[in-house]
Amino acid sequence: MPSSVPSFAELPGHCQRSAVHLELRDSYAATDRYEAWKRGERINWEHRESWWHPYDQLIADTVSRGVVIRRARVIFEPVSDYIRWEHYVTHANVTAGEEVRWLPRRLATAIALPGNDFWLFDDALLRVHHFSGDGGVVEDEITADAEAVKLCSAAFEAVWERATPHHRYQV
């Protein structure tokens, strides 16, 4: 059965003003890149062609149209190895044009957080990520439900306000 959820690549292309992404997990399904990092392999950031992916280009193209893209991560401290790796590879996100911030979970107690990671496009359309316990994507859901949009927008802005910019957050 074909999915009625548009691919992620379609959504930034239709975005006019803003896209925000809230991440609430301390680990996601392991990737080859993460496993290589755990073995001590590092990216040569000076050779962009070796690490620049279609996602990075999609973000760069979207930002070049004037869309502001912000990502916030709520994390436990001390951080997990996965978060150490995520912090390391965030160089690619920032190079592509994303603004990224980190919020220790202990500072999020007074924030009403949604139960799932999400992207919010132009304060109107949510792409909600549903994960399995081991961090694999189970499915994505698209909704424009006004209450869900309001909760997610408020949660993101509250996290963003308290979070530390990527260049200042040390893992």
Side-chain angles (χ1 to χ4, degrees):
M1 178 167 101
S3 172
S4 61
V5 176
S7 72
F8 178 79
E10 295 174 63
L11 297 170
H14 297 292
C15 198
Q16 302 285 319
R17 298 174 311 283
S18 67
V20 300
H21 185 36
L22 184 62
E23 294 181 10
L24 301 167
R25 296 181 58 93
D26 280 279
S27 68
Y28 296 86
T31 64
D32 291 341
R33 292 173 61 202
Y34 173 58
E35 295 301 327
W37 178 85
K38 284 185 3 182
R39 289 189 305 271
E41 296 177 26
R42 296 300 180 256
I43 297 168
N44 182 343
W45 294 115
E46 293 180 17
H47 291 97
R48 186 169 128 165
E49 64 280 352
S50 70
W51 56 266
W52 191 257
H53 292 278
Y55 172 84
D56 303 313
Q57 191 59 54
L58 174 65
I59 296 304
D61 292 346
T62 303
V63 168
S64 74
R65 291 189 295 103
V67 176
V68 175
I69 299 180
R70 297 180 295 158
R71 176 187 304 256
R73 294 179 170 135
V74 179
I75 55 167
F76 285 106
E77 289 181 323
V79 299
S80 66
D81 280 346
Y82 192 94
I83 293 299
R84 285 184 202 292
W85 172 74
E86 243 186 5
H87 187 271
Y88 173 72
V89 297
T90 295
H91 177 82
N93 300 82
V94 172
T95 300
E98 285 187 33
E99 298 174 39
V100 180
R101 292 188 181 181
W102 303 82
L103 182 68
R105 195 168 301 273
R106 65 183 163 71
L107 300 178
T109 303
I111 301 172
L113 294 171
N116 300 293
D117 290 13
F118 65 84
W119 277 91
L120 176 58
F121 299 94
D122 289 333
D123 294 314
L125 185 67
L126 278 170
R127 183 180 181 105
V128 180
H129 302 298
H130 299 285
F131 294 97
S132 63
D134 65 1
V137 175
V138 173
E139 68 178 336
D140 286 332
E141 168 190 1
I142 296 289
T143 184
D145 177 78
E147 289 302 312
V149 166
K150 181 179 175 182
L151 170 72
C152 290
S153 178
F156 181 87
E157 294 305 331
V159 167
W160 189 259
E161 179 181 300
R162 292 166 177 83
T164 301
H166 175 71
H167 71 279
R168 289 196 359 236
Y169 185 75
Q170 301 296 312
V171 294

